[in-house]
Amino acid sequence: HKVKINCASAFAISATRKQSVAEFIFKQVEDIEEELLQELSFVVGGDQEGGGEGGERDNAEGDKLPEEMVIQQQDPSRTVVFQQEVLRWSRATRIAGRSLDAIGDGSVASGAQDIDASKSADAEADATSVLRGSSSYGRLAEKMRPIQRFFALCLVAMTKASLSRISDSRERLIELMDSLDSYTAQAVCEAILELLTMPKNVGLFSKSSVDKTLMSMEQTFQQPESAERSLTAFADILWKYLKPDSRISEDGLKASVRIVRPLLELLSRPDTSKEQKSKIFAIIRQGMRFSIISTDTLTTGALGKSSASGK
């Protein structure tokens, strides 16, 4: 009861404060994320060799990004890299007068490297860990993330205590879904799931929100150690959006099934765009790469959909 009273009073603005406690909490989560994103952009921009500030710092961000970091930021699932590798080895094989069957599915081509993996999953995880742990970003994140996580949990508590009030800030919650911190992102997902329990809020989750969710799911693979938990949280939101009357854990399904289920549902819908389908295939591919999604899960999900449509 006391928690509800505290959460309710968080939305009130007293004469001695310029903003409510709820607004302060929201701003803390948003500002910390923005500050860390700016710091990360500065670190990977290569402006640590004594460059200037202001315009010079901005130029460093745009002009000095290492190729590997550009790939990580713009193609986190490495789908484009994969396609380039396939085309390169296909051309080489055809020029040599050999059949494309000689490449095989994931077979080692000349250069002793799999065509479907320019790096191992462990190597990518190590590279990301080094980037975030050995830089000024890592030091700042170590200081700021615990604070952000605390306020993210406050958002969850306020949402549970006052769904109608937080509904007005739903877009801000959705914007925070792609936090680089998996703990914060999952807390935000929990708050959004609470909002979706209200029938009137289901319609508030738009097609653009689905785009945001899929983009956030692609990004989770940058933190492989927490990718499964993050994917499950995002998938639960998609499933609640697709099936408003469902209860997330009512079937006791495994995490892999809960992840695949809404993705297959989206693939089967006529209003799913090509861009969304591309993201879904990239998520599934990366999920299988990190052994989060199994072939059996995909087959079971596909068969289940076929049976349902047959009825």
Side-chain angles (χ1 to χ4, degrees):
H1 179 68
K2 188 175 182 180
V3 172
K4 290 185 177 181
I5 294 176
N6 289 338
C7 289
S9 62
F11 294 92
I13 301 178
S14 67
T16 58
R17 293 196 302 257
K18 294 182 179 180
Q19 61 183 2
S20 66
V21 173
E23 177 62 23
F24 172 80
I25 291 173
F26 253 116
K27 288 290 292 179
Q28 288 297 308
V29 179
E30 293 168 337
D31 290 349
I32 290 173
E33 190 67 29
E34 180 64 26
E35 182 178 355
L36 288 170
L37 282 173
Q38 290 179 356
E39 183 63 30
L40 180 60
S41 298
F42 175 56
V43 169
V44 301
D47 195 26
Q48 295 183 338
E49 300 179 358
E53 297 180 356
E56 293 182 12
R57 177 167 176 162
D58 292 337
N59 289 336
E61 291 181 19
D63 300 336
K64 298 182 182 179
L65 280 174
E67 180 181 359
E68 181 61 27
M69 289 309 304
V70 173
I71 293 174
Q72 187 175 357
Q73 289 182 353
Q74 299 186 11
D75 184 28
S77 65
R78 304 189 72 85
T79 304
V80 176
V81 173
F82 169 68
Q83 184 182 42
Q84 290 176 340
E85 288 291 296
V86 171
L87 293 174
R88 183 160 64 92
W89 290 114
S90 296
R91 284 194 294 269
T93 302
R94 293 297 293 271
I95 291 173
R98 299 170 61 191
S99 169
L100 294 180
D101 293 335
I103 295 180
D105 183 13
S107 63
V108 177
S110 60
Q113 191 173 63
D114 292 348
I115 63 169
D116 63 345
S118 60
K119 282 188 178 181
S120 67
D122 291 338
E124 284 191 356
D126 291 342
T128 302
S129 176
V130 169
L131 169 67
R132 294 178 177 173
S134 62
S135 64
S136 57
Y137 168 84
R139 293 190 295 271
L140 183 62
E142 185 177 0
K143 176 183 177 182
M144 303 299 292
R145 286 302 186 193
I147 300 172
Q148 186 188 41
R149 292 170 182 176
F150 170 78
F151 284 119
L153 290 176
C154 291
L155 284 179
V156 177
M158 290 192 304
T159 303
K160 291 181 177 180
S162 185
L163 286 174
S164 58
R165 290 177 180 268
I166 293 294
S167 291
D168 298 333
S169 303
R170 60 189 179 276
E171 293 298 334
R172 297 173 73 177
L173 278 177
I174 292 173
E175 282 300 314
L176 288 168
M177 276 200 308
D178 61 350
S179 170
L180 292 180
D181 180 60
S182 60
Y183 190 101
T184 300
Q186 290 171 47
V188 171
C189 284
E190 185 176 345
I192 292 174
L193 276 173
E194 288 293 329
L195 286 180
L196 294 180
T197 58
M198 294 181 66
K200 71 171 186 177
N201 282 335
V202 175
L204 304 179
F205 198 81
S206 63
K207 191 172 183 179
S208 62
S209 303
V210 174
D211 290 333
K212 181 81 170 179
T213 308
L214 292 175
M215 183 185 71
S216 300
M217 292 179 79
E218 281 189 296
Q219 184 173 278
T220 60
F221 296 105
Q222 294 182 17
Q223 293 179 291
E225 69 281 356
S226 60
E228 181 174 311
R229 296 194 304 274
S230 297
L231 287 172
T232 303
F234 290 125
D236 286 346
I237 289 177
L238 287 177
W239 188 246
K240 191 66 178 178
Y241 161 71
L242 295 167
K243 306 289 182 181
D245 297 330
S246 67
R247 288 184 297 174
I248 297 302
S249 302
E250 60 184 350
D251 300 323
L253 297 175
K254 295 181 179 179
S256 59
V257 177
R258 287 166 61 183
I259 293 169
V260 167
R261 187 170 57 168
L263 297 179
L264 294 180
E265 180 73 22
L266 282 172
L267 285 175
S268 68
R269 291 166 65 101
D271 59 339
T272 301
S273 67
K274 291 182 180 180
E275 291 77 11
Q276 289 176 332
K277 290 180 179 179
S278 176
K279 284 185 171 64
I280 291 170
F281 285 126
I283 293 165
I284 291 174
R285 174 177 172 268
Q286 285 293 84
M288 296 180 71
R289 180 182 181 186
F290 286 98
S291 300
I292 297 172
I293 298 173
S294 66
T295 305
D296 292 341
T297 300
L298 284 173
T299 304
T300 302
L303 289 175
K305 286 198 64 60
S306 298
S307 301
S309 60
K311 293 178 183 179

